[in-house]
Amino acid sequence: MGGAFLAAAVLARLGGRIGLPTIPLFILAGILLGPHTPGYTLLSNPHDLEMLSALGLVLLLFYLGLEFHMDDLKTGGRKMAIAGGTYLALNVGAGLGFGFALGWGTSEALVLAGVLGISSSAIVTKILVDLGRIGNPETRPILGIIVVEDVFLALYLAALQPILSGADSLSAMLVDGGKAFGFLLLLALAARFGTKLIGKLMNTKDDELLVISFLGAAVFVAGVSEMFGVADAIGAFMVGLMLGSTTSGERILKLVHPLRDAFGAIFFFAFGLSIDPGDLLSVFWPVLAAVVLTLAMNVAAGLAASRIYSFGAQATANIATTLVARGEFALILATMAAGAGLDKRLSPFIAGYVLLLAVLAPLAAGRSHWLARILPGGRDGRDGQDGGGKDGDKDQEQIPVSV
C-alpha cells in the first residue's frame, strides 16, 4: 500500500516538472508496477486494492457533487444549456457511432458513447488554473459545459446500469431501470427539499466528527445505491450535492480534499495494475482513431460555443483544446464494463485513450494559438493568445470557479 502511494507520488512529481497532469501518471505507475509488465511487481493481484479503489471512486464523485450547485444551471441560463447540449450531442453521438463501427457489441457501444463524450472536470480545471485562464471570457462557457456534462452523467449512468447488469428480458430491464430512476428521484428530492434537515444533522464544530459523518453518509448511500441498481459513484455524487448546499458545505469541501486526492490516486493506480501493455498494442489503431475523432468533435463544439457567445478564433481554440481531456469518468465506465463482463478490449482501449488525451490536452491547450491561426478569422481577428485580451488577469476574481 505504501509502495503504491510512493510510486504514484514519485512519477507524478517527475511528470509535473514538464507540466503533465497527475491522472495519466498514476495510471502509468500502476501499469509499470503491475503483474503484466516485466520487472519488479509491486502487486500481483489488482483485486487487493479493490475496496480502496472503490472508496477512491466514491470520494471523487462525492467531491464533484460538493462543487456542483443547482444554481449553476440558472446562472448560465439558456446559452450554457445550448452550448453544453451541443457539446454532448456532437461528442456522445460520435462516440456511439464509433462504438457501433468497431462492432464490439451494443452494450460496448453505449459505454464508448460516454467514454468519448464526457470531459474530465479534474483535468479541465487544472488546465485552466495552470494556464492562468480562470478570468478569461471563454472560461464561463467551459465550466458551464462541464456542469451540463455532470447532469448528463448522473442520468446516463443511471440508465446504463440496468443494461450492464444483464437484465434477461425487456420487462426485467424496465423493472431494473424503474428501481434505479426511482431511487435517483428520491435522492434528487432529498437534495432539493431536505437540505435544511440534512444540514442540521451534519452541523458540528468538531472537524473529526464532521469527517466521520460525511464519509459515513457518502459511503453508506453509495452502497445502498448499488443495491437499487444505481452506480455507487452517483449515490456519492448526490450526497455531495446535498451536503454542498448546507452551512457545513465549505468545511466539508476543505476536509474531503486530501481524502479525495489520496484515495483517488489509488483508484487510478489500481486501474493501471489491471492493464496489460501488450493489450494496448492490440487496440492501438482504434485508440488513435478515437483520439482523432475526439479532437475533430471538440473543434466543432468549440466553434458552436463561440458562435453562441460571439467569441473570436482564439477563444474558440481555447474552448476546443481545454475540453478535450478525458479522465476519471472514462475510467469509471471502464470499471463498470469490466464488472459486467463486457468485451475485454474495452479496458485497454479506455486506458490508452485516456492516457493519450490526458497528456495531449494540457500540451494542446498551452499551444492553442496554433489552432487559432487556422480557424475562421484566426489571422484577421487576432484576439489575444489567451482569448481574454489584456484584461484577462483583471477579470480573474469576477468569474467564480464552479465545476
Side-chain angles (χ1 to χ4, degrees), residues 99-184:
F100 281 120
L102 285 178
W104 291 354
T106 301
S107 296
E108 287 78 0
L110 292 171
V111 170
L112 287 172
V115 171
L116 270 67
I118 301 174
S119 306
S120 166
S121 59
I123 299 178
V124 167
T125 306
K126 184 173 177 58
I127 289 172
L128 291 171
V129 172
D130 290 350
L131 295 179
R133 293 180 181 168
I134 292 297
N136 284 12
E138 74 275 8
T139 295
R140 186 178 292 277
I142 288 173
L143 296 178
I145 289 171
I146 292 293
V147 168
V148 174
E149 284 185 323
D150 293 343
V151 176
F152 170 80
L153 179 72
L155 299 174
Y156 168 75
L157 287 182
L160 188 64
Q161 187 73 16
I163 297 172
L164 297 185
S165 66
D168 51 10
S169 67
L170 179 60
S171 60
M173 185 177 295
L174 290 174
V175 170
D176 289 346
K179 286 169 55 180
F181 277 108
F183 185 72
L184 196 62

Side-chain angles (χ1 to χ4, degrees), residues 17-391:
R17 293 179 180 273
I18 57 175
L20 293 180
T22 55
I23 289 175
L25 296 169
F26 291 154
I27 300 172
L28 185 60
I31 293 175
L32 293 176
L33 296 175
H36 307 294
T37 305
Y40 178 73
T41 299
L42 182 66
L43 283 166
S44 58
N45 186 5
H47 293 292
D48 290 343
L49 294 179
E50 189 170 7
M51 182 58 70
L52 292 172
S53 174
L55 182 57
L57 175 59
V58 164
L59 288 172
L60 281 169
L61 269 292
F62 174 69
Y63 184 86
L64 189 63
L66 286 170
E67 287 198 323
F68 180 92
H69 297 286
M70 296 304 292
D71 290 341
D72 292 338
L73 292 177
K74 301 175 183 177
T75 56
R78 179 171 168 271
K79 287 185 177 180
M80 186 184 77
I82 295 174
T86 302
Y87 186 90
L88 287 171
L90 287 169
N91 285 272
V92 174
L96 184 64
F98 180 81
F100 281 120
L102 285 178
W104 291 354
T106 301
S107 296
E108 287 78 0
L110 292 171
V111 170
L112 287 172
V115 171
L116 270 67
I118 301 174
S119 306
S120 166
S121 59
I123 299 178
V124 167
T125 306
K126 184 173 177 58
I127 289 172
L128 291 171
V129 172
D130 290 350
L131 295 179
R133 293 180 181 168
I134 292 297
N136 284 12
E138 74 275 8
T139 295
R140 186 178 292 277
I142 288 173
L143 296 178
I145 289 171
I146 292 293
V147 168
V148 174
E149 284 185 323
D150 293 343
V151 176
F152 170 80
L153 179 72
L155 299 174
Y156 168 75
L157 287 182
L160 188 64
Q161 187 73 16
I163 297 172
L164 297 185
S165 66
D168 51 10
S169 67
L170 179 60
S171 60
M173 185 177 295
L174 290 174
V175 170
D176 289 346
K179 286 169 55 180
F181 277 108
F183 185 72
L184 196 62
L185 179 61
L186 181 64
L187 291 178
L189 291 173
R192 177 66 180 86
F193 300 106
T195 303
K196 289 185 178 180
L197 176 61
I198 295 168
K200 288 180 180 179
L201 294 174
M202 281 286 164
N203 188 32
T204 175
K205 294 181 179 180
D206 191 319
D207 285 349
E208 179 184 11
L209 293 178
L210 185 58
V211 169
I212 294 170
S213 298
F214 74 67
L215 191 59
V219 176
F220 179 77
V221 174
V224 174
S225 297
E226 202 166 53
M227 293 172 59
F228 280 90
V230 176
D232 52 1
I234 291 304
F237 173 85
M238 296 302 293
V239 174
L241 190 64
M242 297 177 207
L243 298 184
S245 300
T246 65
T247 55
S248 302
E250 290 297 326
R251 287 175 60 209
I252 294 173
L253 190 68
K254 183 178 179 180
L255 291 169
V256 78
H257 200 285
L259 292 172
R260 182 211 68 172
D261 288 346
F263 291 100
I266 292 300
F267 169 72
F268 297 123
F269 182 88
F271 182 76
L273 288 175
S274 66
I275 300 302
D276 186 342
D279 292 339
L280 293 176
L281 296 176
S282 66
V283 292
F284 173 78
W285 291 112
V287 166
L288 193 59
V291 167
V292 172
L293 178 63
T294 300
L295 292 172
M297 288 300 101
N298 272 262
V299 171
L303 288 168
S306 291
R307 186 176 182 84
I308 294 168
Y309 285 89
S310 301
F311 288 148
Q314 183 58 56
T316 302
N318 288 350
I319 294 172
T321 54
T322 303
L323 287 169
V324 79
R326 300 294 185 265
E328 61 273 20
F329 298 141
L331 301 185
I332 290 169
L333 291 171
T335 303
M336 291 175 63
L342 299 188
D343 196 301
K344 292 183 178 180
R345 290 171 291 186
L346 268 179
S347 287
F349 171 87
I350 294 173
Y353 176 75
V354 168
L355 278 170
L356 195 52
L357 279 182
V359 172
L360 281 177
L363 298 177
R367 295 160 180 79
S368 59
H369 54 284
W370 292 355
L371 174 62
R373 291 173 187 168
I374 62 174
L375 292 176
R379 292 190 178 276
D380 299 328
R382 301 180 68 85
D383 52 349
Q385 181 166 319
D386 288 330
K390 295 180 180 179
D391 297 327

